[in-house]
Amino acid sequence: HTAGVMDASGGSDMEVFFRSVALVGVAELFDKTWFMGLILALRYNAQLVFLGSFTALFLHCFLAAALGLAFARFLPVQCLRYLTAGLFFVFAAMYTKDWYYADPESDAIEAGKEEVGEECDLEREALKQPLAADGGDRDDLVSKVSTNDTEGGQEGDAA
């Protein structure tokens, strides 16, 4: 399959590429994964967080593409179309249910902030547990690690 060749649906390779970028890009805007990366980058070495996030995204995309290829090779096109339509119907039903039962007075942004706060509190608790055997002022150390307030400026940089 070479660049510029029309595929079975009538689109060129570049058109399919840009459609994929646009659709996945819009879908990722509403995903909280990028927000977690931002929170981690504010607390830890941003370059390491970027590398870890990029690696996870790369593996995720590779696995998704491999599964997509496997499905495309083993299932007829008509079956894939019906499965896709069914999957979209299931998602539509799930979102409709969420919308129907949602509290009109609730604030989705505040709920997201609270959820991230809970995840950060869990992270703090996880840091406290291994330190319990060492004694000392665990709360102060956890606070310094969590807020990136060590002598060297970044976690792990202090002497």
Side-chain angles (χ1 to χ4, degrees):
H1 205 46
T2 59
V5 175
M6 302 295 261
D7 67 4
S9 66
S12 71
D13 286 348
M14 290 306 292
E15 183 181 346
V16 171
F17 172 77
F18 286 119
R19 280 185 187 178
S20 299
V21 167
L23 287 173
V24 171
V26 169
E28 290 298 321
L29 283 176
F30 303 105
D31 186 12
K32 66 181 178 181
T33 307
W34 68 269
F35 188 62
M36 290 306 297
L38 174 65
I39 297 295
L40 286 170
L42 291 173
R43 292 177 176 244
Y44 304 108
N45 184 330
Q47 292 165 336
L48 288 176
V49 170
F50 174 78
L51 184 62
S53 299
F54 183 82
T55 302
L57 181 62
F58 176 79
L59 290 173
H60 173 85
C61 290
F62 179 77
L63 290 172
L67 284 173
L69 181 63
F71 274 106
R73 290 200 176 181
F74 296 116
L75 293 173
V77 173
Q78 196 65 20
C79 181
L80 284 174
R81 288 181 180 156
Y82 283 120
L83 285 173
T84 302
L87 187 62
F88 276 109
F89 178 76
V90 168
F91 285 144
M94 288 171 42
Y95 284 124
T96 302
K97 179 183 167 247
D98 286 347
W99 164 79
Y100 184 77
Y101 289 110
D103 179 12
E105 302 299 320
S106 69
D107 185 357
I109 301 297
E110 281 301 315
K113 286 180 183 178
E114 289 173 11
E115 188 175 335
V116 167
E118 290 170 6
E119 290 176 13
C120 289
D121 288 342
L122 289 175
E123 178 183 305
R124 258 193 204 129
E125 289 302 315
L127 282 172
K128 285 182 184 179
Q129 291 173 356
L131 296 171
D134 294 339
D137 192 0
R138 295 182 306 271
D139 291 331
D140 184 48
L141 181 59
V142 170
S143 175
K144 284 183 178 183
V145 169
S146 296
T147 60
N148 217 7
D149 188 24
T150 57
E151 292 175 18
Q154 292 288 331
E155 178 191 347
D157 289 345

